[in-house]
Structure formats: structure tokens, C-alpha cells
Amino acid sequence: MKNAEFKIGRAWIEVNRNNLYHNVEILKKAMQPGCELMAVVKAQAYGHGAVLTASHLNKMGVRAFAVATVDEGIALRKSGICGEILILGYTEAGRASELKEYDLMQTLISFEYAEVLNNQGIAVKVHMKIDTGMHRLGIASGELAAVRKVFSMENLKVCGMFTHLCCSDSRHPEDIAFTKGQIDKFYRMTGALGDSGIILPKLHIQSSYGLLNYPDLACDYVRIGIALYGVLSSPDDDTLLKPDLRPVFSLKSRVVLIREVAAGESVGYGRSFMAGRDTRIAILPIGYGDGFPRNLSDGKGSVLINQYVVPVAGRICMDQLAVDITDTEGISVGDIATLAGAEGYDDELSVPAVADHSGSISNELLCRMGVRLPVIAR
Ligand SMILES: *Cc1c(COP(=O)(O)O)cnc(C)c1O
């Protein structure tokens, strides 16, 4: 093995910048005129690296971002990200001075929260979240008086109002009816506000599936996460719009050891892999500590090495896994393995398929893999 190859490391995430750029362009085209793309880069940009992704997006002209926490927002500012940054989740009101210092916009998760934040005596920019049926965060859409009061709070500058759709990924008629009801509640509230003389701030409703299934909505922003990264949440999801999204993420590791295991011997914890024949095993130094799901043990998961799709042998460990390469030729130490996001092997090794095999969705798989692994852009 060449020395240079060793330097790339034991396991890493590769971000395909061209595909990210392509997705931005194609999603912008799918949006209504006048609507701006708000890139959702929470949880390390779904494992793609928040700073790396946001700085590329900045270069591509994206000027609005959403994160989950104040610390995620501060990290983006400290690395020079420009434009608006909206915090979608809860921030302790005691951190209002940081919201101001780093020019972050805070979501108001309830009327009570708005009062507490206002009482800090620090001028902060906010977006008011309206609950139209998800019943997670937000002021209930019927609470017009409370919403009006927030507009009169002296330290809160209301820059936006938004709601979140809870079943916009579904094409079932009853889910479509529910979603339309959510949209209707939101606009009834904003309409009533407008009628009472309040100048409406920026309005937004859709996330990725909101755009793909309800593309006619003309909002000020679309908050796009998963689609920006070029995948859907699940392999069988159907959407009204089917833009040519291209996967940005791939997960790679390297064969560091090949060993022969005699028939009758076992591999790994619990001896769950029993060699029924003389077997060749390749060891990859990546495990569930890197976010590769343990659920893919015992052949439920596969990896791609030199055009061969080979099964996981035995249980996935925290930092290592074994694959059975008995039926292959020419695989050697140093060869690269692709564990997810293998282009050209879309069905089996795409992120949605790997997530599905592990009993989850792309969103969870991606953000779990963003914790320990380094990210390389290419
Ligand atoms: C995470 C999140 C999004 C992005 O959702 P995707 O389905 O990944 O596009 C949008 N809005 C809110 C409120 C979120 O929490």
C-alpha cells in the first residue's frame, strides 16, 4: 500500500460539492419566484459538516440558514458564515446577549417563552412559530391575541412567522387533507393579523417534502434540509415533484487487515458469524461509534469494495466491522470500501436504502455519522 493512501485515514465522509451545487440550483428552480432557500444545516448539516457545507452554500449564494441550537449558530458565525441564521429550537433566555452578539434569530416556541425572552431586556430578532397541528413547538394558531401581544413586545423584533407540516411527506388523501388544513390555519392567522393592521414579517411553511409535495405555496422561505443533501428520507417515498436530486454524501473506509478463518471458526462478538467453509474476512476500522448502525450486523448490511458488494460478517463493533470477501478476487489491504452513498449502486447502497435496512430514515443515519468522522470535500 502506498504511503499517501494511508494519510486519508481509516474512515471518512466524502461530500460531493458539485452535487450540492446542483441540488441548490434544482431546488431553487422548484420554488416559487420570490421565495428564498433557507438551508437547514443543523446536526452538522445532516452529517456533511456544518461549517464546510454552509461555507460552500454561502459561495453558491445561499444567504439564509437554519440550525437547531444557539451553539450551532455561534459556530457558523465564528467561521464567517454570512446571512441570516435562524435557530429552530429552544435557547435558554439567559443567552439573549449571545443571540444579539452573533446576530442569530431565535424561534419563539411559546407565548410564555416570548415573555421571558423579552424580559431579558436585550433586543433580539425572532421568528414566531405557529402550531397548526404538529403540537410540538409554537403558539397555537387560534391564539390571535397572544400573537398580537408578541408583536408589541419591545425587545423582540419579529422578522418571521412560520409553521411546520407534520405529514407533508405522505400522498395519502387524509394526510393531504390534514396538511391543507395546517396551511389554511396558518394563513387564516396571518390574514387576520394583516387585517388588524400588523405588517406581516417573512412567512414560511415548507421543509423538503413541503416543497416537493406542495410546490404551489408561495412563501418567503423554504426550509430545506434532507433534499439539499440529495436524498429522500426513505427509499419508497413518492413525491409530486421529482427533481433530479443527486446524493452529496458517501461513507468510506479502508481495508486494514485480511485474514483467513477456517470452516467451523467464528468471527466477532457472540460468535454470531460461524464460518460454514474456509472464509476470507476483511476488517474495516469503522463501527457504530462512527454512526454505522449496529442493526446492520450479520449480513443485514453490505459494503462495496472494488465492484464487489460484500456482506457484513458477524456483529458490528463500536470501532470495527468484518466483511466476508470469500467470493471476491483481488481485494487487498488498503482498498477503499464504500458503506453508504455508493454512486452507481443506488438501490442497495444509497443512503435511504442503508437507513431503511437499519430500521431508520436517511436523516437519522446521516446525522449520527457526522459525530466522529472527518469530512472531506471533493
Ligand atoms: C429539520 C427541520 C426542517 C428541515 O426538514 P427536512 O425535512 O430535512 O427538509 C425544516 N423545518 C424545521 C422546523 C425543522 O426542524
Side-chain angles (χ1 to χ4, degrees):
M1 181 181 4
K2 286 179 235 92
N3 236 353
E5 285 186 334
F6 255 133
K7 289 203 177 123
I8 306 181
R10 62 162 186 104
W12 65 97
I13 289 163
E14 265 178 32
V15 165
N16 183 322
R17 277 177 289 188
N18 288 339
N19 285 0
L20 182 64
Y21 190 88
H22 168 89
N23 295 338
V24 168
E25 292 304 308
I26 211 154
L27 287 164
K28 276 190 186 162
K29 279 196 196 115
M31 287 160 37
Q32 293 294 323
C35 178
E36 200 181 333
L37 190 156
M38 180 183 278
V40 181
V41 293
K42 60 192 181 188
Q44 289 299 344
Y46 295 45
H48 296 66
V51 168
L52 180 133
T53 304
S55 47
H56 285 306
L57 291 169
N58 250 179
K59 284 188 201 132
M60 296 168 191
V62 174
R63 306 286 299 172
F65 297 90
V67 294
T69 71
V70 63
D71 291 310
E72 289 180 340
I74 292 171
L76 292 184
R77 284 290 186 236
K78 281 191 169 162
S79 53
I81 300 305
C82 315
E84 296 174 339
I85 300 178
L86 171 63
I87 300 167
L88 297 168
Y90 170 80
T91 300
E92 307 86 293
R95 299 188 69 177
S97 60
E98 289 168 274
L99 295 174
K100 186 172 178 203
E101 179 182 351
Y102 292 101
D103 191 20
L104 304 171
M105 298 192 291
Q106 175 58 44
T107 292
L108 299 179
I109 63 163
S110 68
F111 178 73
E112 293 71 21
Y113 178 79
E115 282 186 310
V116 173
L117 190 61
N118 183 53
N119 288 341
Q120 304 300 305
I122 294 165
V124 289
K125 295 180 186 170
V126 297
H127 281 220
M128 205 185 313
K129 190 158 192 184
I130 303 299
D131 176 20
T132 53
M134 175 134 180
H135 300 328
R136 189 177 62 175
L137 304 179
I139 302 173
S141 57
E143 306 249 356
L144 200 58
V147 169
R148 270 209 206 90
K149 257 192 220 157
V150 173
F151 274 95
S152 68
M153 291 181 181
E154 62 171 329
N155 296 312
L156 304 186
K157 182 168 193 295
V158 182
C159 301
M161 287 178 82
F162 70 105
T163 193
H164 196 42
L165 304 173
C166 56
C167 54
S168 62
D169 57 332
S170 165
R171 301 301 301 153
H172 287 299
E174 58 272 37
D175 290 330
I176 291 173
F178 187 87
T179 302
K180 287 188 169 159
Q182 282 193 279
I183 295 164
D184 199 50
K185 279 182 183 167
F186 184 72
Y187 281 132
R188 256 189 282 145
M189 141 104 27
T190 57
L193 281 179
D195 289 345
S196 68
I198 286 174
I199 295 165
L200 291 176
K202 299 277 178 79
L203 304 180
H204 45 117
I205 298 175
Q206 302 135 293
S207 56
S208 296
Y209 283 91
L211 174 67
L212 298 178
N213 282 327
Y214 302 87
D216 296 339
L217 279 179
C219 295
D220 293 303
Y221 296 105
V222 179
R223 306 180 303 272
I224 300 192
I226 195 70
L228 196 58
Y229 308 109
V231 292
L232 296 179
S233 295
S234 302
D236 298 330
D237 282 345
D238 187 28
T239 52
L240 193 65
L241 287 190
K242 295 176 178 56
D244 167 33
L245 296 171
R246 298 182 186 165
V248 177
F249 179 101
S250 48
L251 175 66
K252 308 244 167 130
S253 183
R254 181 185 291 292
V255 176
V256 293
L257 176 63
I258 293 176
R259 64 166 72 250
E260 311 292 332
V261 174
E265 294 289 312
S266 64
V267 176
Y269 285 124
R271 307 193 66 211
S272 66
F273 180 88
M274 297 297 295
R277 55 176 173 167
D278 289 348
T279 298
R280 217 147 27 100
I281 291 292
I283 303 296
L284 306 176
I286 180 170
Y288 60 78
D290 300 298
F292 193 69
R294 188 172 175 278
N295 277 352
L296 296 175
S297 295
D298 298 315
K300 272 199 227 110
S302 314
V303 316
L304 175 70
I305 310 174
N306 299 357
Q307 318 298 316
Y308 292 107
V309 176
V310 292
V312 172
R315 289 190 197 154
I316 294 169
C317 311
M318 190 182 290
D319 318 299
Q320 326 287 339
L321 63 84
V323 291
D324 182 348
I325 59 165
T326 313
D327 296 324
T328 70
E329 269 170 35
I331 292 180
S332 51
V333 167
D335 287 351
I336 289 174
T338 305
L339 293 90
E343 281 169 72
Y345 290 80
D346 290 355
D347 291 347
E348 222 174 322
L349 286 171
S350 68
V351 166
V354 172
D356 192 52
H357 292 152
S358 76
S360 186
I361 57 172
S362 307
N363 316 42
E364 183 188 8
L365 181 70
L366 288 172
C367 70
R368 282 184 188 278
M369 293 194 289
V371 177
R372 189 165 79 177
L373 293 167
V375 180
I376 295 168
R378 71 171 160 89

Coordinates of all heavy atoms in Angstrom, one line a residue, residues 288-354:
Y288 N -20.2 1.2 15.0 CA -21.3 2.1 15.4 C -21.0 3.3 16.1 O -21.7 4.3 16.2 CB -22.4 1.2 16.1 CG -22.0 0.6 17.4 CD1 -21.9 1.3 18.6 CD2 -21.7 -0.8 17.5 CE1 -21.5 0.7 19.8 CE2 -21.3 -1.4 18.6 CZ -21.2 -0.7 19.8 OH -20.8 -1.2 21.0
G289 N -19.7 3.4 16.7 CA -19.2 4.6 17.2 C -19.1 5.7 16.2 O -19.0 6.9 16.5
D290 N -19.0 5.3 14.9 CA -19.0 6.3 13.8 C -20.4 6.5 13.3 O -20.5 7.3 12.3 CB -18.1 5.8 12.7 CG -16.7 5.6 13.2 OD1 -16.0 6.5 13.6 OD2 -16.2 4.4 13.2
G291 N -21.4 5.9 13.8 CA -22.7 6.1 13.4 C -23.2 5.0 12.4 O -24.3 5.1 11.8
F292 N -22.3 4.1 12.1 CA -22.8 3.0 11.2 C -23.6 2.0 12.0 O -23.0 1.4 12.9 CB -21.6 2.3 10.5 CG -22.0 1.4 9.4 CD1 -22.4 2.0 8.2 CD2 -21.9 0.1 9.4 CE1 -22.8 1.2 7.1 CE2 -22.3 -0.7 8.4 CZ -22.8 -0.1 7.2
P293 N -24.9 1.8 11.7 CA -25.8 1.2 12.6 C -25.5 -0.3 12.9 O -25.2 -1.1 12.0 CB -27.1 1.3 11.9 CG -27.0 2.3 10.9 CD -25.5 2.3 10.5
R294 N -25.5 -0.6 14.2 CA -25.2 -2.0 14.6 C -26.3 -2.9 14.1 O -26.1 -4.1 14.0 CB -25.2 -2.0 16.2 CG -24.7 -3.3 16.7 CD -24.5 -3.2 18.2 NE -24.2 -4.5 18.8 CZ -25.0 -5.4 19.2 NH1 -26.3 -5.2 19.0 NH2 -24.7 -6.6 19.8
N295 N -27.5 -2.3 13.8 CA -28.6 -3.1 13.3 C -28.2 -3.8 11.9 O -29.0 -4.6 11.5 CB -29.8 -2.2 12.9 CG -30.6 -2.0 14.1 OD1 -30.4 -2.6 15.2 ND2 -31.6 -1.1 14.0
L296 N -27.2 -3.3 11.3 CA -26.8 -3.9 10.0 C -25.9 -5.1 10.2 O -25.3 -5.6 9.2 CB -26.1 -2.8 9.2 CG -27.0 -1.7 8.8 CD1 -26.3 -0.6 8.0 CD2 -28.2 -2.1 8.0
S297 N -25.7 -5.6 11.4 CA -24.9 -6.8 11.6 C -25.4 -8.0 10.9 O -26.5 -8.0 10.5 CB -24.8 -7.1 13.2 OG -24.2 -6.0 13.9
D298 N -24.6 -9.0 10.9 CA -25.0 -10.4 10.4 C -25.6 -10.4 9.1 O -26.7 -11.0 8.9 CB -25.9 -11.0 11.5 CG -25.3 -11.1 12.8 OD1 -24.1 -11.6 12.9 OD2 -25.9 -10.8 13.9
G299 N -25.0 -9.7 8.1 CA -25.4 -9.7 6.7 C -26.6 -8.8 6.4 O -27.0 -8.8 5.2
K300 N -27.1 -8.1 7.4 CA -28.2 -7.2 7.0 C -27.6 -6.0 6.2 O -28.3 -5.4 5.4 CB -28.9 -6.7 8.3 CG -30.0 -7.6 8.7 CD -31.0 -6.9 9.6 CE -31.3 -7.7 10.8 NZ -30.8 -7.3 12.1
G301 N -26.4 -5.7 6.5 CA -25.7 -4.6 5.7 C -24.7 -5.2 4.8 O -24.2 -6.3 5.0
S302 N -24.4 -4.4 3.8 CA -23.3 -4.8 2.8 C -22.4 -3.5 2.6 O -22.9 -2.4 2.8 CB -23.9 -5.2 1.5 OG -24.9 -6.1 1.7
V303 N -21.2 -3.8 2.0 CA -20.4 -2.7 1.6 C -19.8 -3.0 0.3 O -19.8 -4.1 -0.2 CB -19.3 -2.4 2.7 CG1 -19.8 -2.4 4.1 CG2 -18.1 -3.4 2.5
L304 N -19.4 -1.9 -0.4 CA -18.9 -2.0 -1.7 C -17.3 -1.9 -1.7 O -16.8 -0.9 -1.2 CB -19.4 -0.9 -2.6 CG -18.9 -0.8 -4.0 CD1 -19.4 -1.9 -4.9 CD2 -19.3 0.5 -4.6
I305 N -16.7 -3.0 -2.2 CA -15.2 -2.9 -2.3 C -14.8 -3.4 -3.7 O -15.2 -4.5 -4.1 CB -14.5 -3.8 -1.3 CG1 -15.0 -3.6 0.2 CG2 -13.0 -3.6 -1.3 CD1 -14.4 -4.5 1.2
N306 N -14.1 -2.6 -4.5 CA -13.7 -2.9 -5.8 C -14.8 -3.6 -6.6 O -14.6 -4.7 -7.2 CB -12.5 -3.9 -5.8 CG -11.3 -3.4 -5.1 OD1 -11.3 -2.2 -4.7 ND2 -10.3 -4.2 -4.9
Q307 N -16.0 -3.0 -6.8 CA -17.1 -3.5 -7.5 C -17.8 -4.7 -6.9 O -18.8 -5.2 -7.5 CB -16.7 -4.0 -9.0 CG -15.7 -3.0 -9.7 CD -16.3 -1.6 -9.9 OE1 -17.5 -1.5 -10.3 NE2 -15.6 -0.6 -9.6
Y308 N -17.3 -5.2 -5.8 CA -18.0 -6.3 -5.1 C -18.9 -5.8 -4.0 O -18.4 -5.0 -3.2 CB -17.0 -7.3 -4.5 CG -16.2 -8.1 -5.5 CD1 -14.8 -7.8 -5.7 CD2 -16.8 -9.1 -6.2 CE1 -14.1 -8.5 -6.6 CE2 -16.0 -9.9 -7.1 CZ -14.7 -9.5 -7.3 OH -13.9 -10.3 -8.2
V309 N -20.1 -6.2 -3.9 CA -20.9 -5.9 -2.8 C -20.8 -7.1 -1.8 O -21.3 -8.2 -2.2 CB -22.4 -5.6 -3.2 CG1 -23.3 -5.4 -2.0 CG2 -22.4 -4.4 -4.1
V310 N -20.2 -6.9 -0.7 CA -20.0 -8.0 0.3 C -20.7 -7.8 1.6 O -20.8 -6.6 2.0 CB -18.4 -8.1 0.5 CG1 -17.8 -8.6 -0.8 CG2 -17.8 -6.8 1.0
P311 N -21.2 -8.9 2.2 CA -22.0 -8.7 3.4 C -21.1 -8.5 4.7 O -20.0 -9.0 4.8 CB -22.7 -10.1 3.5 CG -21.8 -11.0 2.8 CD -21.0 -10.3 1.7
V312 N -21.7 -7.8 5.6 CA -21.2 -7.7 7.0 C -21.2 -9.1 7.6 O -22.2 -9.8 7.6 CB -22.0 -6.7 7.8 CG1 -21.5 -6.7 9.3 CG2 -21.9 -5.3 7.2
A313 N -20.0 -9.5 8.2 CA -19.9 -10.8 8.8 C -19.9 -10.6 10.3 O -19.1 -9.9 10.9 CB -18.6 -11.5 8.4
G314 N -20.9 -11.2 11.0 CA -20.9 -11.1 12.5 C -21.4 -9.7 12.9 O -22.0 -8.9 12.1
R315 N -21.2 -9.4 14.2 CA -21.7 -8.2 14.7 C -20.8 -7.0 14.5 O -19.6 -7.1 14.6 CB -21.9 -8.4 16.3 CG -23.0 -9.3 16.6 CD -23.3 -9.3 18.0 NE -24.1 -10.5 18.3 CZ -24.2 -11.1 19.5 NH1 -23.5 -10.5 20.5 NH2 -25.0 -12.1 19.7
I316 N -21.4 -5.9 14.2 CA -20.7 -4.6 14.0 C -20.3 -4.2 15.4 O -21.1 -4.2 16.4 CB -21.6 -3.6 13.3 CG1 -21.8 -4.0 11.9 CG2 -20.9 -2.2 13.4 CD1 -22.9 -3.2 11.2
C317 N -19.0 -3.8 15.6 CA -18.5 -3.4 16.9 C -18.5 -1.9 16.9 O -18.9 -1.2 16.0 CB -17.0 -3.9 17.1 SG -16.8 -5.6 16.8
M318 N -18.1 -1.3 18.1 CA -18.1 0.2 18.2 C -17.1 0.8 17.1 O -17.5 1.8 16.5 CB -17.7 0.6 19.6 CG -17.9 2.1 19.8 SD -17.4 2.6 21.5 CE -18.6 1.8 22.5
D319 N -16.0 0.1 16.9 CA -15.0 0.8 16.1 C -14.5 -0.1 14.9 O -13.6 0.4 14.2 CB -13.8 1.2 16.9 CG -14.2 1.7 18.3 OD1 -14.9 2.8 18.3 OD2 -13.9 1.1 19.3
Q320 N -15.0 -1.3 14.8 CA -14.6 -2.2 13.7 C -15.7 -3.0 13.2 O -16.7 -3.2 13.9 CB -13.6 -3.3 14.2 CG -12.7 -2.9 15.4 CD -11.5 -2.0 14.9 OE1 -11.2 -2.0 13.7 NE2 -11.0 -1.2 15.8
L321 N -15.6 -3.4 11.9 CA -16.5 -4.4 11.4 C -15.8 -5.3 10.5 O -14.7 -5.0 9.9 CB -17.8 -3.8 10.8 CG -17.7 -2.9 9.6 CD1 -17.7 -3.7 8.3 CD2 -18.9 -2.0 9.5
A322 N -16.4 -6.5 10.3 CA -15.8 -7.5 9.4 C -16.7 -7.7 8.2 O -18.0 -7.6 8.4 CB -15.6 -8.8 10.1
V323 N -16.2 -8.0 7.0 CA -17.0 -8.3 5.9 C -16.4 -9.6 5.3 O -15.2 -9.9 5.4 CB -17.0 -7.2 4.8 CG1 -17.8 -6.0 5.3 CG2 -15.7 -6.8 4.3
D324 N -17.3 -10.4 4.7 CA -17.0 -11.7 4.1 C -16.6 -11.5 2.6 O -17.4 -11.2 1.8 CB -18.2 -12.6 4.2 CG -17.9 -14.0 3.7 OD1 -16.8 -14.2 3.0 OD2 -18.7 -14.9 4.0
I325 N -15.3 -11.7 2.3 CA -14.8 -11.4 0.9 C -14.4 -12.7 0.3 O -13.7 -12.7 -0.7 CB -13.7 -10.4 0.9 CG1 -12.5 -10.8 1.7 CG2 -14.2 -9.0 1.3 CD1 -11.2 -10.0 1.4
T326 N -14.9 -13.9 0.8 CA -14.6 -15.2 0.2 C -14.8 -15.3 -1.3 O -14.0 -15.8 -2.0 CB -15.3 -16.3 1.0 OG1 -15.3 -16.1 2.4 CG2 -14.8 -17.7 0.6
D327 N -16.0 -14.7 -1.7 CA -16.3 -14.8 -3.1 C -15.8 -13.7 -4.0 O -16.4 -13.4 -5.0 CB -17.9 -14.9 -3.2 CG -18.4 -16.2 -2.5 OD1 -17.7 -17.2 -2.6 OD2 -19.5 -16.1 -1.9
T328 N -14.7 -13.1 -3.6 CA -14.2 -12.0 -4.4 C -12.8 -12.3 -4.8 O -12.2 -13.3 -4.2 CB -14.2 -10.7 -3.6 OG1 -13.2 -10.8 -2.6 CG2 -15.5 -10.4 -3.0
E329 N -12.2 -11.5 -5.7 CA -10.8 -11.7 -6.1 C -10.2 -10.4 -6.1 O -10.8 -9.4 -6.5 CB -10.7 -12.3 -7.5 CG -10.7 -13.8 -7.5 CD -10.8 -14.4 -8.9 OE1 -10.3 -13.8 -9.8 OE2 -11.5 -15.5 -9.0
G330 N -8.9 -10.3 -5.6 CA -8.1 -9.1 -5.8 C -8.3 -8.1 -4.8 O -7.6 -7.0 -4.8
I331 N -9.1 -8.3 -3.8 CA -9.2 -7.3 -2.7 C -8.0 -7.3 -1.8 O -7.6 -8.4 -1.4 CB -10.5 -7.5 -1.9 CG1 -11.7 -7.2 -2.7 CG2 -10.5 -6.6 -0.6 CD1 -13.1 -7.3 -2.0
S332 N -7.4 -6.2 -1.6 CA -6.2 -6.2 -0.7 C -6.2 -5.1 0.3 O -7.0 -4.2 0.2 CB -4.9 -6.1 -1.6 OG -5.0 -5.1 -2.5
V333 N -5.3 -5.2 1.3 CA -5.2 -4.2 2.3 C -5.0 -2.9 1.7 O -4.2 -2.7 0.8 CB -4.1 -4.6 3.3 CG1 -3.7 -3.4 4.2 CG2 -4.5 -5.8 4.1
G334 N -5.7 -1.9 2.2 CA -5.6 -0.5 1.6 C -6.7 -0.2 0.7 O -6.9 1.0 0.4
D335 N -7.4 -1.1 0.2 CA -8.5 -0.9 -0.7 C -9.7 -0.1 0.0 O -9.9 -0.3 1.2 CB -9.1 -2.2 -1.3 CG -8.2 -2.8 -2.3 OD1 -7.2 -2.1 -2.7 OD2 -8.5 -3.9 -2.7
I336 N -10.3 0.7 -0.7 CA -11.4 1.6 -0.1 C -12.7 0.9 -0.2 O -13.1 0.2 -1.2 CB -11.4 2.9 -0.9 CG1 -10.2 3.8 -0.5 CG2 -12.7 3.7 -0.5 CD1 -10.1 5.1 -1.2
A337 N -13.4 1.0 0.9 CA -14.8 0.4 1.0 C -15.8 1.5 1.1 O -15.6 2.5 1.8 CB -14.9 -0.5 2.2
T338 N -16.9 1.4 0.3 CA -18.0 2.4 0.4 C -19.1 1.8 1.2 O -19.6 0.7 0.8 CB -18.4 2.9 -1.0 OG1 -17.3 3.3 -1.7 CG2 -19.5 4.0 -0.9
L339 N -19.5 2.4 2.3 CA -20.5 1.8 3.1 C -21.9 2.4 2.9 O -22.9 1.8 3.3 CB -20.1 1.9 4.6 CG -18.9 1.1 5.0 CD1 -17.6 1.9 4.9 CD2 -19.0 0.6 6.5
A340 N -22.0 3.6 2.4 CA -23.3 4.2 2.1 C -23.0 5.3 1.1 O -21.9 5.9 1.0 CB -23.9 4.8 3.4
G341 N -24.0 5.5 0.2 CA -23.9 6.6 -0.8 C -23.0 6.2 -2.0 O -22.3 7.0 -2.6
A342 N -23.0 4.9 -2.3 CA -22.2 4.4 -3.4 C -22.9 4.7 -4.7 O -23.9 4.2 -5.0 CB -22.0 2.9 -3.3
E343 N -22.3 5.6 -5.5 CA -22.9 6.0 -6.7 C -22.8 4.8 -7.7 O -21.8 4.2 -7.8 CB -22.2 7.2 -7.3 CG -22.6 8.5 -6.6 CD -21.8 9.7 -7.0 OE1 -21.8 10.2 -8.1 OE2 -21.0 10.1 -6.1
G344 N -23.8 4.6 -8.5 CA -23.9 3.5 -9.4 C -24.4 2.2 -8.8 O -24.6 1.3 -9.4
Y345 N -24.5 2.2 -7.4 CA -25.1 1.1 -6.7 C -26.3 1.6 -5.9 O -26.5 1.1 -4.8 CB -24.0 0.4 -5.8 CG -22.9 -0.3 -6.6 CD1 -21.9 0.5 -7.2 CD2 -23.0 -1.6 -6.8 CE1 -20.9 -0.1 -7.9 CE2 -22.0 -2.3 -7.6 CZ -21.0 -1.5 -8.1 OH -20.0 -2.1 -8.8
D346 N -27.0 2.4 -6.5 CA -28.0 3.2 -5.8 C -29.0 2.4 -5.0 O -29.3 2.8 -3.9 CB -28.8 4.1 -6.8 CG -27.9 5.2 -7.4 OD1 -26.8 5.3 -6.9 OD2 -28.4 5.9 -8.3
D347 N -29.5 1.4 -5.6 CA -30.6 0.7 -4.9 C -30.1 0.1 -3.5 O -30.7 0.4 -2.5 CB -31.1 -0.5 -5.7 CG -31.8 0.1 -6.9 OD1 -32.1 1.3 -6.9 OD2 -32.1 -0.6 -7.9
E348 N -29.0 -0.6 -3.5 CA -28.6 -1.3 -2.3 C -27.9 -0.4 -1.4 O -28.0 -0.6 -0.2 CB -27.7 -2.5 -2.7 CG -28.0 -3.7 -2.0 CD -27.2 -4.9 -2.5 OE1 -27.1 -5.0 -3.8 OE2 -26.8 -5.7 -1.7
L349 N -27.0 0.4 -1.9 CA -26.1 1.2 -1.0 C -26.3 2.7 -1.0 O -25.5 3.4 -0.6 CB -24.7 0.9 -1.4 CG -24.2 -0.5 -1.0 CD1 -22.9 -0.9 -1.7 CD2 -24.1 -0.7 0.5
S350 N -27.5 3.1 -1.4 CA -27.8 4.5 -1.3 C -28.1 4.8 0.2 O -28.5 3.9 1.0 CB -29.1 4.9 -2.1 OG -30.2 4.2 -1.5
V351 N -28.0 6.0 0.6 CA -28.3 6.4 2.0 C -29.7 6.0 2.4 O -29.9 5.4 3.5 CB -27.9 7.9 2.2 CG1 -28.5 8.4 3.5 CG2 -26.4 8.1 2.2
P352 N -30.7 6.3 1.6 CA -32.1 5.9 2.1 C -32.2 4.4 2.2 O -32.9 3.9 3.2 CB -33.0 6.4 0.9 CG -32.2 7.5 0.3 CD -30.8 7.1 0.4
A353 N -31.6 3.6 1.4 CA -31.7 2.2 1.5 C -30.9 1.6 2.7 O -31.5 0.8 3.4 CB -31.1 1.5 0.2
V354 N -29.7 2.2 2.9 CA -29.0 1.7 4.1 C -29.8 2.1 5.4 O -29.9 1.3 6.3 CB -27.6 2.3 4.1 CG1 -26.8 2.1 5.4 CG2 -26.8 1.8 2.9

